[in-house]
Amino acid sequence: MFWTALGAAVFMIVGRPALAAEWSITGFHADIEVNADASITVHETIAVDFGVAKRGIWRDIPFRYPADGSIVSVPINVQRLSLDGVPVPYETAVSGDARSIKIGDPDVTITGAHHYDLVYKAGAAVNFFDDHDELYWNVTGTEWEVPITRVTGTVALPAGVAASDVRTRCFTGQVGSRQQACATQAQPSGATFSSQDFVTVVVGWPTGVITKPADYDQLRAEADRPSASNLLSQFGVPWIVIFNLALPVLVAVALFFYWKRHGHDPQTEPRTTVVQYDPPDKLTPGEVGVLFDEKANPRDISAIIIDLAVRGYLSITEVRNERFLRFGRSTDYVLQRERDGVGDVSLQRHERTMLDALFADGPSVHPAPRKPRVLTRGGSGEVIPRCNHPEATAVKPWSWVHLSDLRGKLPAQVRDIADQLYQAAVVKGHFVARPDTVRKKFLVFGIVVSAIGAFVPFLFPGFLITGVLIVIFSRVMPKRTPRGVKALWHARGFKEYLEKAEKYRLQWQEQEHIFEQFLPFAMAFGVADKWSKAFADIAIQPPRWYHGTYDGGFNSLLLWSSLSSLHTQATQAFAPPAAQGSSGFGSGGFSGGGFGGGGGGSW
């Protein structure tokens, strides 16, 4: 408080004289007309002298006031402005509890003596009492940059009020001052006043001269914001309806043409999907998933794990745990690292990140028999051999982890993997820009447009629909390159091959390990169930990288059923823990909320 008061005193002593040297107010005259609807029309003439080049002045006029524990509103509407009798550009805005008016041309500077004429209307400005009515009006305001040393003005009442029935009073100085260094004089149907300081006048007259209007209480309660009555009076119902209908239509047309130019994939010759028997451009399952649907989905992340297992980098062991009194079972999975992958050029960046994320914390800590190299298959007691993949190499004995122990621990790493997949889509020449970034820009823009409507109630439908349209278009805005389009057609043909595998059995029945080789791609496409069904009646060997329980013998559907459960648990490991909000009463609080004050000066 001390430093604030000291700063204010320094400004009063030093700052204002400096400003006074730049410009001064040489006269302030106000003609106030009291209207029959309890509003007033104010015509202010402000004479100034600019000692240095200025663009103009600004004027703040309060429209909200605290009174008896509540807020009273006196709406302010600017009607006209002029400089030396000629219309002058101006801008209005709300500044705290005041209507701020910025007067002047930003491209033009002026010096010397000039006068500004400002005309505005203040609604519901008259106070009604049992024995009299009155106008209690702060004529000049008290928050100017420079002093006002000459103030004059008049108050005009409706005709027929005798001078003897008009009561006057005035106050001068800063807010709260009771000084009366001013002069007032009652006249028939009005009064005059003068002062050499900031001035507030009080003029009273008998009841019955002005009838309290029906909307008086409503005006006094309104805040200065676009309301139904304001919009209706300014634009009318037809224009509001037209706007709400036209805005979404115009934006939809603009979005369509923008998509045609910046979001539509390059035109290629008309073609139908041709079945393909391998993935496009030697892409990994995760990369094919992003190419196909422009998103890094949880199923793409799970497909990366299975693909790494198929290629011998890790093995998966299914472990079933008996619950209390053997009522039900729970299934867990042990992931064991079989190859280090250091220096392996066949590993993509996102695959290396996945391996490092899965085994970052070392081994799981569980009681026996869950120990490295003595894991059992399905609780049967049979010792599970290490992966005997031809390319498997010796690894450290701690490189294993229970999938259940990873729950909620990998969201940051999975975000990195998704980020690397999106980057690869651009680096490998399949997309013009990252699909996630393009979608996010339009999504945020759509939300902002919808939120704008909340501040303009009658225009809310138009803004809301427009924002929704922008959000919808965000899904189709990512654009592929010509190479990306070619790869997409290849991916569609590969998907058809995996989805309708029984139809193309001759093409794959001679290939060894083709089921497990293409299973991760089928997962990325979302057709793993159909790919597995095609092999259900074919005798194939269990994969060397998966150790599970196959009651009644192994088949592809049993394997996919187990992997579906693994996908569910992996998704839980990838998901972030529940977010916690912050309270404004703790570290999340900040200064600067609420309403601020106005002011007046030059610019």
Side-chain angles (χ1 to χ4, degrees):
M1 292 297 293
F2 170 77
W3 294 110
T4 301
L6 179 60
V10 170
F11 176 78
M12 291 293 291
I13 298 171
V14 178
R16 289 205 173 190
L19 287 170
E22 294 182 0
W23 77 291
S24 62
I25 298 177
T26 58
F28 191 110
H29 181 86
D31 291 319
I32 305 170
E33 180 179 1
V34 180
N35 303 313
D37 62 355
S39 68
I40 62 173
T41 302
V42 182
H43 180 180
E44 295 180 354
T45 301
I46 306 173
V48 302
D49 190 357
F50 295 127
V52 297
K54 296 283 187 178
R55 293 177 176 83
I57 66 171
W58 50 273
R59 172 83 164 99
D60 282 357
I61 307 170
F63 62 83
R64 256 192 309 249
Y65 309 86
D68 299 327
S70 63
I71 300 297
V72 174
S73 176
V74 178
I76 301 294
N77 293 299
V78 179
Q79 296 186 333
R80 65 179 184 272
L81 269 161
S82 65
L83 170 62
D84 298 328
V86 179
V88 63
Y90 67 92
E91 298 176 357
T92 66
V94 173
S95 176
D97 292 334
R99 169 68 63 187
S100 184
I101 310 165
K102 189 176 182 180
I103 311 167
D105 190 331
D107 298 324
V108 178
T109 59
I110 57 177
T111 59
H114 300 274
H115 68 269
Y116 290 89
D117 286 280
L118 166 62
V119 179
Y120 60 91
K121 188 173 183 179
V126 172
N127 297 318
F128 293 92
F129 300 97
D130 292 337
D131 59 343
H132 75 285
D133 302 334
E134 73 174 32
L135 174 66
Y136 190 176
W137 192 250
N138 187 339
V139 177
T140 59
T142 60
E143 298 178 359
W144 286 87
E145 290 180 344
V146 295
I148 300 177
T149 58
R150 183 171 179 269
V151 182
T152 58
T154 64
V155 176
L157 303 174
V161 182
S164 58
D165 291 331
V166 177
R167 293 187 293 171
T168 64
R169 200 176 185 187
C170 62
F171 302 94
T172 56
Q174 294 295 326
V175 175
S177 169
R178 294 185 176 274
Q179 295 180 6
Q180 299 185 42
C182 51
T184 62
Q185 183 176 353
Q187 296 180 343
S189 298
T192 61
F193 56 88
S194 62
S195 174
Q196 294 181 348
D197 200 350
F198 304 133
V199 63
T200 297
V201 299
V202 184
V203 178
W205 57 90
T207 60
V209 175
I210 295 177
T211 302
K212 187 176 182 180
D215 62 347
Y216 179 88
D217 293 332
Q218 179 183 351
L219 289 173
R220 282 274 174 122
E222 285 183 352
D224 190 70
R225 62 178 182 271
S227 63
S229 59
N230 290 338
L231 288 173
L232 288 174
S233 62
Q234 294 179 23
F235 302 106
V237 174
W239 284 108
I240 293 175
V241 173
I242 291 173
F243 177 88
N244 282 307
L245 294 176
L247 181 63
V249 173
L250 293 175
V251 171
V253 172
L255 287 171
F256 174 77
F257 283 104
Y258 186 90
W259 169 77
K260 287 286 289 184
R261 183 170 183 178
H262 301 284
H264 185 45
D265 288 344
Q267 294 289 342
T268 59
E269 67 278 5
R271 57 187 297 186
T272 57
T273 301
V274 178
V275 176
Q276 303 291 335
Y277 305 109
D278 59 355
D281 286 359
K282 297 182 180 181
L283 298 178
T284 67
E287 292 171 338
V288 169
V290 173
L291 170 70
F292 188 73
D293 59 14
E294 304 172 354
K295 296 179 181 178
N297 294 311
R299 68 188 185 199
D300 299 330
I301 307 299
S302 297
I304 294 173
I305 296 178
I306 303 304
D307 187 54
L308 289 170
V310 172
R311 291 157 56 192
Y313 290 95
L314 59 90
S315 61
I316 304 172
T317 301
E318 177 184 337
V319 180
R320 294 186 181 180
N321 303 313
E322 301 290 346
R323 294 182 178 174
F324 181 66
L325 298 180
R326 293 186 176 271
F327 288 108
R329 290 178 176 179
S330 64
T331 302
D332 198 0
Y333 298 87
V334 176
L335 308 181
Q336 183 155 341
R337 192 164 188 168
E338 304 293 345
R339 297 170 62 189
D340 197 315
V342 176
D344 191 338
V345 296
S346 66
L347 272 180
Q348 300 295 312
R349 185 183 177 192
H350 63 274
E351 294 173 325
R352 193 179 305 279
T353 302
M354 175 63 80
L355 282 174
D356 293 342
L358 292 174
F359 303 105
D361 295 333
S364 301
V365 180
H366 283 281
R370 294 187 179 180
K371 297 178 181 178
R373 301 179 182 273
V374 293
L375 301 172
T376 60
R377 178 181 287 118
S380 63
E382 177 188 356
V383 176
I384 299 172
R386 290 180 52 78
C387 176
N388 58 354
H389 192 283
E391 299 181 8
T393 58
V395 294
K396 298 178 181 179
W398 51 258
S399 301
W400 60 283
V401 66
H402 283 78
L403 187 58
S404 60
D405 291 339
L406 298 177
R407 184 172 301 174
K409 294 183 178 180
L410 301 182
Q413 293 87 335
V414 170
R415 285 194 296 269
D416 290 340
I417 293 171
D419 183 74
Q420 292 161 7
L421 287 172
Y422 287 127
Q423 289 180 2
V426 178
V427 171
K428 295 189 176 183
H430 295 137
F431 283 88
V432 175
R434 288 179 46 148
D436 61 323
T437 302
V438 174
R439 284 193 301 268
K440 188 179 296 182
K441 289 180 180 178
F442 280 88
L443 179 64
V444 171
F445 183 48
I447 294 174
V448 170
V449 170
S450 297
I452 291 174
F455 297 95
V456 191
F458 257 58
L459 305 182
F460 178 71
F463 279 102
L464 175 63
I465 297 173
T466 299
V468 171
L469 283 174
I470 296 173
V471 171
I472 293 174
F473 265 82
S474 70
R475 303 175 61 183
V476 298
M477 286 303 182
K479 183 177 182 177
R480 295 179 180 85
T481 63
R483 178 177 179 177
V485 173
K486 182 178 179 181
L488 176 63
W489 280 104
H490 190 127
R492 288 173 176 170
F494 186 44
K495 177 178 181 290
E496 181 171 333
Y497 166 57
L498 299 176
E499 192 174 15
K500 301 177 181 179
E502 293 183 69
K503 181 178 178 181
Y504 305 103
R505 181 172 293 189
L506 291 176
Q507 281 74 14
W508 53 255
Q509 62 183 4
E510 300 296 333
Q511 299 184 41
E512 187 178 5
H513 301 301
I514 191 173
F515 168 69
E516 56 186 278
Q517 179 184 351
F518 287 164
L519 179 59
F521 293 95
M523 293 174 64
F525 285 126
V527 296
D529 54 340
K530 296 180 180 180
W531 177 246
S532 302
K533 185 178 179 181
F535 290 81
D537 59 349
I538 298 177
I540 57 177
Q541 293 297 318
R544 290 170 293 187
W545 48 268
Y546 187 85
H547 312 294
T549 301
Y550 310 114
D551 298 329
F554 171 81
N555 66 52
S556 58
L557 286 178
L558 286 174
L559 176 61
W560 172 238
S561 176
S562 297
L563 293 180
S564 296
S565 177
L566 181 146
H567 167 69
T568 300
Q569 290 197 31
T571 302
Q572 294 174 350
F574 304 152
Q580 299 291 330
S582 60
S583 169
F585 293 103
S587 59
F590 62 92
S591 175
F595 293 108
S602 62
W603 64 288

